Amino acid sequence: MTATTRGYRRSTGSAFALWAARFGWRHVVMIAVAAFALFPVLFVVSAAVNPVGTLSSARLWPTGAGLDNAVDLFRNTPFTTWYANSLFFAVANAAATVFLSALAAYAFSRMRFRGRRVGMIGLLIIQMFPQFLAIVAIYLMFSTVGEYRPEIGFDTRWGLLLVYLGGALSINTWLMKGFFDTVPTELDESAQIDGATHAQVFFRIMLPLVTPVLAIVGLLVFISTINEFLMASVFLRDTDAKTLGLGLYQLVESQRNANFGMFSVGAVMLSLPTLIVFWFLQRYITEGLTAGAVKG
Amino acid sequence: MSSRSSAGAPAPGAPARTSLPGGAFAGSGSLWGQVVKIALLGLFTALGVWAALPLYVGGNWAGIAVVAAVLVLVYWVYLSKRTVPLKYLLPGVLLLITFQILPVLYTMSTSVTNFSDGHRGDKEQAIAAIEAYSVTRAEQGREFGLTVATTGDPESGELVFLLTDPEGAAYAGDIEGLRPLDEATVDPASGRVTEAFGYTVLSPAQVNARSQELEEFAVPVGDGAGIRASGLSTAYEGRATRVYDAGCDCITDASTGVVYTADDERGAFYSEDGERLAQGWRVNVGFDNFARFLFNPTFASSFFSILVWNIGFAVAVTGLVFVVGLAVALTLHVPKLRGKQAYRILVVLPYAMSSLAMYLLWRDMFNTDFGLFNQLLGTNVDWLGDAWTARFAVILANVWLGYPYMFLVATGALQAIPRELTQAARIDGAGAWQAFRHVTLPMLMVAMTPILIATFAFNFNNFNAVWLITKGGPFPPDDPSAGATDLLITYTYRMAFSQATAEYGYAAALSVMIFVIVSVMSVISLSRSKALQEVDR
């Protein structure tokens, strides 16, 4: 009896020790990391629903719940316009960039032509010169463009979108090319033997097979456009033309204590689209992010 | 695949076909494809006409030639059967050239000029401005109702006068002259413009803040006459006292008799005793701008201390996000861990939040009076007011935002490494650390080096990370232009866009230097990694 009890005890003891060695510490670490990840989010959410709506009244844990800040944001600022602008830029830029760089990646991956090597290295180098370093030049360029065609000048969506699309071919093309290379060439060759044109091969065979990398590039561009500040701040000067990010910046620039509640609502709203896109694309994310790297 | 055998697949080991896809098969496209192609070309032609029309009206023949050349290029590429790769590259490349390469080249050419607030236009414009600024009220000059506006930022944009004459006609005037204003709303009571399309009307407070500029501002109207403001709501037309004489290439001040001679090297007019007229023009100054940052003691010391911090910041952030991200990935990299999915979602959360909003949030969490940190810790630290705590704050915020990306990448890379390898090492007697150090890590690094390089390059120029949290501050009392957390990119931005005088020439020189620094670092690290081999695959 004693022996069995002792044996039982020893086995539970060692089972716990085993569990602790294998899993226990992992839970401790992960809870700590999760707390680190979560606390600013918790803070901004509780500030968003805080009825008082100032920074000085904001606490980590919600002290009340109300929609006062949201109502203020809707009433006192062109929030919906800002939000629509942000979404327009993010969606349009992501869609166009994915399409344009997929076209280029297809050419780089499947065709051999003069200037291919130069083109690929050139892309790598030119994207080291961040576009916004040339912002003065772009500013002056669009002052002239705006004189002839105000439709694409300052304070217009199309003008800024064009500027963003100047960076469509970039490291994204490399990432995509890496993924395209993993699709066996036999597939498109056999299709061509069957009489498919290169366009048919691209649209009907390649694109469906490379969905993960299309999704991930789309996501990356979407995120970076939502968060783009510098170009937009130079380009969009009219209050109604601003993006949500610029609007929020303006909101807390002068009155950071008083407007903090409104800002927090805006911050949560600005994060929502990314969270949603992230949620839908999550099964592609790991695969896509490592696509350009984990090979060979 | 069954059709493939009927078409006769090449025997295994047969040399790969070298002909371009399309060569023999192009032209046999479907009807639908042809229709789309024609429609797109039509649309593009329409766009070309749309772009060319105002150029034609404005008599800009060079512009029309460019539009025509692009149209011809597009037609050639999409109608020829020999240009298959270009068909895929052209749209992206055209955008790249127009909005990235040309601006970069323009930036490079700006970097060797003295382009700045006092040196914006050419010599003629400078002369017009000087004559206008010296305008004094004439006997029978016109009076105008005045509204001060700008086409840019209320604090730094170019000033514009929105004027109404006694007959009620509205004009807009800037340093280039006066032109009729069509779409303006005029307040019938005061007779002044209250709103005009394309212009931001300044509030009295904003006008006051720029009163210095306003005093030196005048709209040239030709023949040595100009319009100046008198007070905030009226303007008058008057005659210039400083007049240019092409014969001596000099400007004579009629009231003082001083003669200012043009100096084409420095781009300004100087009097005999070295006094300079404020308005100059753009001239080539060679590498003077670069020399200032490299050799002028004051600027060189700020430049190099910013450079050191810039590298330190990028290294610290990249290193920390790598270590944290990898540690989290390793912690979760075990089968049958309960709650793994929940943990994953939680730790990735910062990556899915808007970084722009989160930077502003972090700034407020570090607020001295009401911030979360002082609130939780019960302290009263001026986090962003001290150089080292501000640096700490900026790095911490960026680690928070950046590690989930590394976690995702590391998770993917870990999954690609067969578990058997580590297990074999363990069986051979290696400890957990040894197995990780000598088996897992080297394999991980193959996959992660390019991503680390990209992360470093990204953080090197991470404008938002610093601008939205500290704006580059805190600033030492003796130098309000270079702050303790400034990166080269925020320093450049301040120089070009948010200082009293916009120093475009210096800013462009800094941009070029950043480009050189980043390129050199990237080329070295890339040549050590295997990324460039990709090109030859």
Side-chain angles (χ1 to χ4, degrees):
Chain A
M1 183 67 190
T2 28
T4 34
T5 319
R6 201 182 289 152
Y8 174 67
R9 269 199 194 131
R10 192 193 297 138
S11 74
T12 46
S14 64
F16 178 78
L18 263 178
W19 180 85
R22 190 165 166 75
F23 294 117
W25 66 271
R26 294 179 196 268
H27 286 291
V28 175
V29 171
M30 288 318 298
I31 287 167
V33 175
F36 175 62
L38 214 53
F39 84 95
V41 181
L42 187 61
F43 180 60
V44 79
V45 171
S46 73
V49 298
N50 184 342
V52 184
T54 58
L55 176 57
S56 46
S57 67
R59 295 288 175 271
L60 186 56
W61 203 254
T63 49
L67 291 176
D68 316 31
N69 295 320
V71 172
D72 282 351
L73 189 63
F74 272 97
R75 284 219 183 115
N76 303 341
T77 67
F79 170 77
T80 38
T81 317
W82 289 348
Y83 206 42
N85 287 340
S86 275
L87 289 180
F88 167 81
F89 285 119
V91 171
N93 191 22
T97 299
V98 165
F99 183 63
L100 291 175
S101 48
L103 286 175
Y106 177 61
F108 282 130
S109 172
R110 288 303 200 258
M111 302 171 195
R112 296 292 176 270
F113 50 92
R114 245 191 314 159
R116 174 175 174 276
R117 192 185 155 81
V118 173
M120 289 209 67
I121 296 180
L123 269 189
L124 201 63
I125 291 175
I126 195 75
Q127 62 96 32
M128 285 170 199
F129 197 107
Q131 203 182 18
F132 53 76
L133 283 182
I135 185 102
V136 174
I138 291 176
Y139 179 84
L140 297 166
M141 221 168 101
F142 271 88
S143 318
T144 315
V145 169
E147 279 171 27
Y148 288 106
R149 274 293 171 205
E151 294 91 336
I152 54 171
F154 291 119
D155 286 332
T156 65
R157 292 171 163 190
W158 300 110
L160 184 57
L161 184 63
L162 278 175
V163 175
Y164 284 154
L165 286 180
L169 296 194
S170 63
I171 203 73
N172 297 327
T173 319
W174 275 73
L175 193 69
M176 283 198 184
K177 188 227 164 223
F179 203 95
F180 281 32
D181 286 344
T182 64
V183 176
T185 25
E186 287 78 15
L187 281 180
D188 32 301
E189 279 172 0
S190 65
Q192 282 180 354
I193 290 165
D194 290 347
T197 61
H198 56 86
Q200 286 167 333
V201 170
F202 175 72
F203 283 106
R204 304 233 179 111
I205 298 180
M206 285 305 271
L207 284 192
L209 287 173
V210 296
T211 321
V213 79
L214 301 185
I216 199 70
V217 169
L219 176 76
L220 291 176
V221 177
F222 186 92
I223 291 180
S224 65
T225 316
I226 283 263
N227 294 316
E228 207 283 325
F229 176 76
L230 207 155
M231 291 293 219
S233 76
V234 172
F235 221 91
L236 307 173
R237 299 160 305 186
D238 189 43
T239 310
D240 284 337
K242 283 189 190 326
T243 57
L244 184 52
L246 288 183
L248 292 181
Y249 178 76
Q250 192 188 350
L251 211 57
V252 285
E253 185 59 8
S254 48
Q255 301 220 311
R256 53 197 292 193
N257 185 29
N259 289 343
F260 188 69
M262 275 156 74
F263 162 79
S264 299
V265 175
V268 173
M269 293 298 288
L270 188 57
S271 301
L272 269 188
T274 328
L275 281 169
I276 292 168
V277 176
F278 212 83
W279 185 260
F280 277 109
L281 297 184
Q282 61 170 330
R283 66 198 177 97
Y284 294 127
I285 287 172
T286 318
E287 194 184 349
L289 278 182
T290 41
V294 192
K295 281 188 312 345
Chain B
M1 285 302 128
S2 60
S3 59
R4 188 180 153 179
S5 51
S6 62
R17 261 191 306 280
T18 48
S19 66
L20 290 172
F25 304 99
S28 62
S30 62
L31 181 65
W32 195 77
Q34 293 295 322
V35 170
V36 169
K37 191 184 206 173
I38 291 167
L40 285 176
L41 280 176
L43 184 71
F44 199 77
T45 315
L47 263 179
V49 173
W50 177 81
L53 268 180
L55 291 171
Y56 174 75
V57 173
N60 186 337
W61 298 105
I64 292 178
V66 171
V67 172
V70 171
L71 273 178
V72 169
L73 179 70
V74 168
Y75 268 92
W76 174 67
V77 166
Y78 288 100
L79 294 179
S80 160
K81 286 182 184 177
R82 305 186 169 280
T83 51
V84 176
L86 261 183
K87 287 184 168 74
Y88 288 87
L89 290 170
L90 192 68
V93 167
L94 276 182
L95 286 163
L96 181 78
I97 290 175
T98 318
F99 297 108
Q100 192 133 356
I101 296 180
L102 284 182
V104 165
L105 293 178
Y106 187 78
T107 304
M108 288 179 173
S109 73
T110 306
S111 73
V112 293
T113 67
N114 61 351
F115 193 12
S116 61
D117 254 353
H119 299 267
R120 276 175 183 271
D122 54 22
K123 194 170 175 180
E124 268 170 46
Q125 286 171 328
I127 292 167
I130 290 169
E131 290 185 336
Y133 294 170
S134 70
V135 165
T136 48
R137 195 183 281 261
E139 294 280 304
Q140 64 280 59
R142 287 181 288 174
E143 294 269 348
F144 296 91
L146 166 71
T147 304
V148 183
T150 173
T151 50
D153 185 61
E155 282 155 30
S156 58
E158 238 172 81
L159 286 177
V160 179
F161 279 2
L162 304 179
L163 302 160
T164 43
D165 67 11
E167 286 89 58
Y171 303 91
D174 56 22
I175 51 167
E176 281 167 17
L178 202 61
R179 58 184 176 279
L181 185 63
D182 301 328
E183 295 178 50
T185 316
V186 179
D187 174 32
S190 66
R192 292 165 57 205
V193 176
T194 50
E195 220 180 303
F197 180 77
Y199 300 99
T200 314
V201 173
L202 299 186
S203 70
Q206 285 165 333
V207 178
N208 248 335
R210 304 181 67 172
S211 58
Q212 177 82 34
E213 259 177 278
L214 202 61
E215 220 158 85
E216 294 169 7
F217 184 83
V219 180
V221 289
D223 292 335
I227 299 169
R228 298 191 65 166
S230 66
L232 296 186
S233 55
T234 50
Y236 61 85
E237 188 183 45
R239 298 217 64 81
T241 53
R242 287 175 176 164
V243 179
Y244 177 72
D245 179 358
C248 62
D249 195 14
C250 64
I251 283 178
T252 312
D253 190 319
S255 58
T256 61
V258 180
V259 177
Y260 300 87
T261 317
D263 179 341
D264 282 321
E265 300 231 317
R266 287 188 282 184
F269 288 97
Y270 288 88
S271 71
E272 256 179 36
D273 38 354
E275 193 201 340
R276 197 203 120 154
L277 291 178
Q279 293 77 39
W281 59 97
R282 279 171 82 172
V283 291
N284 197 320
V285 294
F287 291 98
D288 284 8
N289 294 331
F290 295 90
R292 179 170 95 160
F293 293 108
L294 299 177
F295 305 118
N296 178 318
T298 333
F299 290 102
S301 82
S302 3
F303 173 74
F304 284 108
S305 63
I306 289 173
L307 179 62
V308 168
W309 154 247
N310 201 149
I311 294 174
F313 167 80
V315 169
V317 171
T318 310
L320 283 170
V321 294
F322 174 68
V323 169
V324 176
L326 180 58
V328 177
L330 284 169
T331 311
L332 282 184
H333 188 62
V334 60
K336 292 181 203 148
L337 182 73
R338 270 189 202 199
K340 196 191 253 186
Q341 272 311 317
Y343 286 139
R344 279 184 61 122
I345 291 172
L346 285 182
V347 300
V348 174
L349 197 58
Y351 186 54
M353 299 294 286
S354 151
S355 66
L356 198 160
M358 289 300 120
Y359 281 130
L360 292 169
L361 179 78
W362 276 87
R363 181 184 77 164
D364 287 335
M365 292 202 298
F366 282 114
N367 185 299
T368 315
D369 303 317
F370 326 110
L372 183 67
F373 287 101
N374 280 343
Q375 200 190 103
L376 288 182
L377 302 172
T379 50
N380 195 26
V381 180
D382 186 6
W383 292 96
L384 303 180
D386 173 79
W388 282 107
T389 50
R391 286 174 184 152
F392 166 77
V394 171
I395 290 178
L396 182 68
N398 280 288
V399 171
W400 184 81
L401 273 162
Y403 83 85
Y405 174 74
M406 278 296 166
F407 161 73
L408 289 170
V409 173
T411 304
L414 278 174
Q415 279 162 3
I417 298 174
R419 261 171 214 280
E420 293 75 33
L421 278 178
T422 1
Q423 280 163 0
R426 297 296 293 275
I427 290 164
D428 286 349
W433 169 249
Q434 275 183 311
F436 170 74
R437 174 76 187 75
H438 295 289
V439 180
T440 314
L441 192 60
M443 296 191 71
L444 267 181
M445 290 317 283
V446 174
M448 296 195 62
T449 307
I451 288 179
L452 285 176
I453 295 170
T455 307
F456 178 85
F458 172 77
N459 278 304
F460 193 86
N461 282 317
N462 197 342
F463 176 85
N464 285 9
V466 167
W467 192 261
L468 297 179
I469 297 180
T470 65
K471 275 199 165 183
F475 295 93
D478 54 326
D479 184 4
S481 71
T485 55
D486 250 332
L487 301 181
L488 290 173
I489 182 74
T490 56
Y491 184 50
T492 309
Y493 179 80
R494 188 172 318 108
M495 198 159 274
F497 288 105
S498 64
Q499 261 183 337
T501 52
E503 301 272 14
Y504 296 135
Y506 288 124
L510 269 175
S511 298
V512 172
M513 282 197 282
I514 296 174
F515 177 51
V516 170
I517 293 167
V518 177
S519 310
V520 167
M521 288 193 303
S522 308
V523 167
I524 291 172
S525 47
L526 281 173
S527 65
R528 288 179 171 213
S529 81
K530 293 179 180 164
L532 278 182
Q533 292 173 6
E534 282 296 299
V535 176
D536 298 318
R537 273 168 73 110

